[in-house]
């Protein structure tokens, strides 16, 4: 059975995460990045990310054997079935890089951009075959986060979007398909809305950085790991579900919307945030937030998988 030949273009944090994900699923992966020292950083980072996925030494070694670094872009994508692009986050850079990839890759290859904010329509205009350019935006840390946002642009064929959905599912991801393009896609827009209010609360002196973070992680954030905002709203209605929740909580929700803030990221607000973050990190007493995040994300992933398996067994 043929397995897709994958090329990862750009080996920063996201590119390394994609590389580890593809390797963990048994794919042959070629990576390309013009930055000095890119190959060494790639190999070190990919090995570390494979450990996040709980591969033992033998499994990780076999996966890393399938990794190839090719400094020449045209050669790197020359026989690819799938290209995951992770270049600089500007329209000009994305447009030029995708055009270069499309002129060197096979006609059947899909080019998926990891862009966190730019629409496909803005990136695909100079591609040789824009119909196969799609969005494939992940979240960090890529090996542990299941969400991938998938979309096409004005010139993308629907079959290419479907192919992307199928491919990412085969990588153990939970892709969502955007019905229409919007800058920032879905996840980052939701995140930006929350961050805007967090900065407003800090600006107005309502709570400290540490307490605002706790309000999320020990409050709605813990619920959102299991059920998103709409299912959470449904559950808030008890036996009456979402209809009861709208009747009971709708007016209060509307009133809160009218009081949400719109802060500006002034130097003073940035300074206040940085000072608060540093104080919060000090108060953690040596607990490294990156390590804690990885540990908890792994636990959540395992718990969700176990619940899904139990539910399937009971069907």
């Amino acid at each position: 059975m043929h397995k897709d030949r994958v090329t990862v273009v750009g080996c920063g944090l996201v590119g390394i995460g994609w590389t580890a994900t593809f390797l963990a699923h048994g794919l042959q992966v070629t990576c390309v990045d013009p930055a000095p020292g890119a190959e060494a950083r790639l190999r070190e980072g990919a090995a570390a990310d494979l450990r996040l996925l709980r591969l033992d030494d033998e499994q990780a070694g076999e996966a890393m054997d399938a990794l190839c670094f090719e400094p020449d872009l045209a050669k790197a994508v020359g026989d690819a079935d799938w290209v995951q692009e992770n270049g600089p986050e500007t329209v000009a850079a994305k447009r030029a890089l995708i055009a270069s990839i499309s002129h060197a890759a096979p006609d059947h290859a899909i080019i998926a951009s990891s862009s966190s904010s730019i629409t496909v329509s803005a990136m695909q205009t100079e591609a040789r075959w824009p119909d196969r350019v799609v969005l494939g935006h992940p979240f960090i840390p890529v090996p542990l986060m299941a969400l991938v946002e998938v979309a096409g642009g004005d010139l993308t064929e629907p079959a290419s979007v479907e192919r992307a959905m199928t491919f990412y599912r085969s990588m153990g991801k939970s892709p969502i398909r955007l019905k229409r393009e919007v800058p920032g896609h879905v996840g980052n827009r939701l995140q930006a809305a929350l961050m805007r209010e967090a900065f407003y609360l800090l600006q107005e002196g309502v709570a400290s950085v540490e307490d605002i973070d706790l309000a999320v992680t020990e409050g709605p954030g813990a619920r959102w790991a299991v059920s998103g905002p709409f299912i959470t709203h449904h559950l808030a209605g008890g036996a009456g579900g979402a209809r009861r929740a709208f009747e009971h909580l709708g007016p209060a929700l509307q009133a809160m919307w009218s009081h949400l803030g719109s802060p500006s990221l002034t130097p003073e607000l940035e300074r206040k945030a940085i000072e608060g973050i540093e104080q919060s990190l000090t108060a953690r007493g040596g607990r490294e937030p990156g390590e804690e995040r990885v540990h908890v994300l792994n636990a959540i992933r395992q718990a969700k998988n176990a619940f899904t398996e139990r539910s399937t067994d009971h069907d």
Side-chain angles (χ1 to χ4, degrees):
M1 179 179 177
H2 170 75
K3 288 189 175 182
D4 285 328
R5 293 179 294 269
V6 176
T7 297
V8 175
V9 179
C11 302
L13 189 62
V14 173
I16 289 171
W18 273 127
T19 298
T21 300
F22 298 146
L23 291 172
H25 284 81
L27 299 185
Q28 181 74 39
V29 183
T30 299
C31 295
V32 55
D33 190 311
E39 182 176 4
R41 289 191 297 273
L42 165 69
R43 293 189 179 278
E44 180 181 358
D49 276 358
L50 287 172
R51 290 194 291 272
L52 297 185
L53 292 170
R54 307 293 175 87
L55 272 66
D56 61 33
D57 290 344
E58 182 179 353
Q59 292 170 326
E62 290 176 356
M64 290 296 292
D65 287 342
L67 173 60
C68 173
F69 187 86
E70 170 53 66
D72 183 85
L73 177 64
K75 292 179 180 178
V77 302
D79 64 351
D81 300 306
W82 189 274
V83 180
Q84 190 73 42
E85 175 274 321
N86 313 281
E89 189 72 4
T90 69
V91 172
K94 294 283 189 189
R95 188 176 290 163
L97 182 54
I98 287 172
S100 296
I101 293 168
S102 72
H103 281 81
D107 290 347
H108 69 274
I110 293 288
I111 301 176
S113 175
S114 297
S115 175
S116 61
S117 62
I118 303 170
T119 63
V120 176
S121 293
M123 296 185 284
Q124 69 185 163
T125 53
E126 296 179 15
R128 180 166 62 95
W129 25 263
D131 55 304
R132 292 188 175 87
V133 179
V134 300
L135 177 73
H137 172 238
F139 281 75
I140 298 170
V142 177
L144 297 182
M145 299 295 282
L147 178 63
V148 179
E149 295 173 321
V150 176
D154 292 337
L155 304 176
T156 306
E157 286 289 337
S160 298
V161 178
E162 287 299 329
R163 185 172 160 192
M165 294 290 288
T166 299
F167 176 76
Y168 288 126
R169 287 192 190 103
S170 74
M171 294 296 103
K173 298 301 185 182
S174 297
I176 63 169
R177 179 173 183 168
L178 276 64
K179 294 183 177 181
R180 70 180 184 89
E181 294 182 290
V182 61
H185 322 313
V186 175
N188 276 341
R189 290 179 70 92
L190 292 171
Q191 186 169 249
L194 178 61
M195 288 296 290
R196 180 174 66 180
E197 187 61 19
F199 277 102
Y200 177 74
L201 294 171
L202 180 65
Q203 173 185 277
E204 298 300 304
V206 174
S208 67
V209 164
E210 184 177 9
D211 284 346
I212 293 170
D213 274 351
L214 280 171
V216 175
T217 61
E218 304 304 311
R223 296 190 305 212
W224 290 335
V226 182
S227 55
F230 292 110
I231 298 301
T232 297
H233 185 72
H234 164 76
L235 293 172
R243 288 184 177 84
R244 174 57 180 158
F246 279 120
E247 293 170 2
H248 183 60
L249 302 172
L253 182 62
Q254 185 68 56
M256 278 190 285
W257 284 349
S258 67
H259 290 288
L260 294 176
S262 297
S264 296
L265 279 178
T266 63
E268 172 61 21
L269 182 54
E270 291 180 8
R271 181 192 61 78
K272 193 172 184 179
I274 291 169
E275 289 179 355
I277 292 167
E278 290 173 347
Q279 291 168 5
S280 181
L281 290 172
T282 300
R284 294 174 66 89
R287 284 187 298 128
E288 210 286 316
E291 291 180 5
E292 183 179 21
R293 180 173 72 171
V294 166
H295 177 79
V296 173
L297 286 174
N298 256 320
I300 291 171
R301 183 168 63 106
Q302 290 169 5
K304 293 173 77 170
N305 289 341
F307 182 82
T308 300
E309 289 173 5
R310 287 200 303 271
S311 299
T312 301
D313 291 341
H314 292 158
D315 287 345

